[in-house]
């Protein structure tokens, strides 16, 4: 069957099998996982896209519940809830922007300056789903803070802190300042597209309030690239 004009481009889904599931923390309320690059957070529509982080988690923790997602090609920390109360509690923290997220990215070229803030509203690019684009008239507010963590010959390593949680926010914001994330199949091309074996974006840290008692919890997973 041919894809429609607004359908995402087909992809050959080959999720990593080792490790099957990396658990960073679990208790009666929360489950913290390290998602590998290449694994969907939730199952896709085709039957061949049924293997995902959510399904793997439920094999070991049947009561686990989805709270948020990160892109298939992005690696790093994902938190799930272990009961309905925790799911609601965490969901509200995400909604009210009480959860702090830190990412590591390698981007193409030399970023000027040592830190900055990107405030550009985003909207789905209807003609090129699932791509997103900057739209000052109809886009939703999207804010990213960035800081240089290292410099290479043709790339810059950045620490990224999204203050909002829009789809593809970090990827589009980096493109908007002329420095696409390396090996981003949606937003980079040429040398930037072929610069690394996978998307150079990793969810390194996540800070939240524990649903049981509100205590602050910080979870980290070292960047694999």
């Amino acid at each position: 069957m041919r894809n429609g004009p607004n359908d995402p481009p087909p992809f050959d889904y080959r999720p990593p099998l080792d490790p099957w599931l990396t658990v960073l923390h679990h208790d009666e309320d929360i489950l913290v996982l390290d998602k590998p690059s290449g694994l969907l957070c939730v199952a896709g529509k085709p039957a061949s896209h049924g293997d995902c982080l959510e399904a793997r988690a439920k094999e070991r923790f049947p009561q686990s519940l989805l709270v948020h997602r990160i892109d298939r090609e992005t690696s790093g920390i994902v938190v799930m809830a272990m009961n309905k109360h925790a799911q609601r509690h965490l969901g509200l923290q995400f909604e009210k922007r009480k959860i702090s997220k830190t990412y590591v990215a390698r981007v193409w070229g030399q970023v000027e300056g040592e830190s900055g803030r990107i405030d550009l509203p985003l909207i789905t690019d209807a003609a090129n789903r699932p791509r997103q684009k900057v739209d000052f008239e109809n886009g939703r507010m999207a804010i990213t803070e960035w800081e240089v963590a290292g410099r290479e010959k043709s790339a810059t390593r950045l620490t990224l802190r999204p203050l909002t949680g829009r789809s593809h926010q970090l990827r589009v914001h980096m493109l908007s300042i002329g420095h696409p994330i390396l090996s981003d199949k949606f937003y980079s091309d040429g040398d930037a597209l072929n610069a690394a074996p996978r998307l150079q974006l990793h969810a390194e840290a996540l800070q939240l309030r524990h649903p049981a008692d509100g205590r602050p919890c910080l979870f980290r997973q070292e960047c694999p690239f």
Side-chain angles (χ1 to χ4, degrees):
M1 180 179 294
R2 295 174 65 90
N3 279 47
N6 294 329
D7 291 337
F11 61 89
D12 184 16
Y13 185 44
R14 298 183 181 181
L17 302 179
D18 185 23
W20 182 254
L21 187 70
T22 302
V23 178
L24 304 179
H25 170 88
H26 74 93
D27 57 39
E28 293 182 354
D29 295 284
I30 61 175
L31 172 64
V32 183
L33 305 171
D34 177 24
K35 188 190 81 66
S37 175
L39 180 67
L40 290 166
C41 267
V42 298
K45 290 182 180 180
S48 59
H49 293 181
D51 184 13
C52 62
L53 187 70
E54 181 183 32
R56 293 184 183 187
K58 284 184 175 294
E59 286 185 6
R60 182 171 169 186
F61 305 94
Q63 71 274 40
S64 60
L65 299 166
L66 191 72
V67 176
H68 71 121
R69 311 178 190 183
I70 59 176
D71 293 342
R72 172 174 60 93
E73 295 175 314
T74 304
S75 59
I77 295 179
V78 174
V79 62
M80 298 182 72
M82 296 293 278
N83 53 66
K84 287 290 187 180
H85 167 75
Q87 186 184 40
R88 288 192 297 271
H89 195 286
L90 292 170
L92 284 172
Q93 289 187 60
F94 274 102
E95 182 181 335
K96 295 180 179 180
R97 301 176 194 150
K98 299 298 184 181
I99 289 182
S100 299
K101 296 169 285 184
T102 303
Y103 289 75
V104 174
R106 292 175 64 228
V107 303
W108 183 250
Q110 293 297 320
V111 177
E112 185 176 350
E114 295 301 315
S115 63
R117 180 184 175 103
I118 302 168
D119 186 350
L120 293 173
L122 302 177
I123 194 171
T124 299
D125 186 347
N128 296 286
R129 295 177 185 271
R131 293 176 175 84
Q132 308 292 307
K133 64 180 181 179
V134 175
D135 187 322
F136 290 99
E137 184 175 350
N138 300 305
R140 300 174 69 189
M141 180 180 68
I143 301 172
T144 301
E145 294 180 343
W146 61 267
E147 183 177 351
V148 173
R151 296 187 183 275
E152 306 170 26
K153 182 178 180 181
S154 301
T156 306
R157 180 178 290 265
L158 298 177
T159 299
L160 303 177
R161 297 182 179 87
L163 305 187
T164 52
R166 308 302 177 207
S167 179
H168 289 192
Q169 175 176 320
L170 301 179
R171 300 164 77 163
V172 179
H173 274 178
M174 292 302 100
L175 176 68
S176 73
I177 63 170
H179 299 283
I181 297 175
L182 300 184
S183 296
D184 189 333
K185 296 176 181 177
F186 285 120
Y187 303 104
S188 67
D189 55 22
D191 291 339
L193 176 60
N194 300 307
R198 53 153 288 192
L199 177 71
Q200 300 290 279
L201 182 62
H202 175 74
E204 183 182 52
L206 187 147
Q207 185 168 13
L208 53 80
R209 294 280 180 177
H210 198 283
D213 54 16
R215 70 182 183 275
C217 298
L218 174 63
F219 302 100
R220 302 183 68 89
Q221 180 66 357
E222 185 178 353
C223 182
F225 54 80

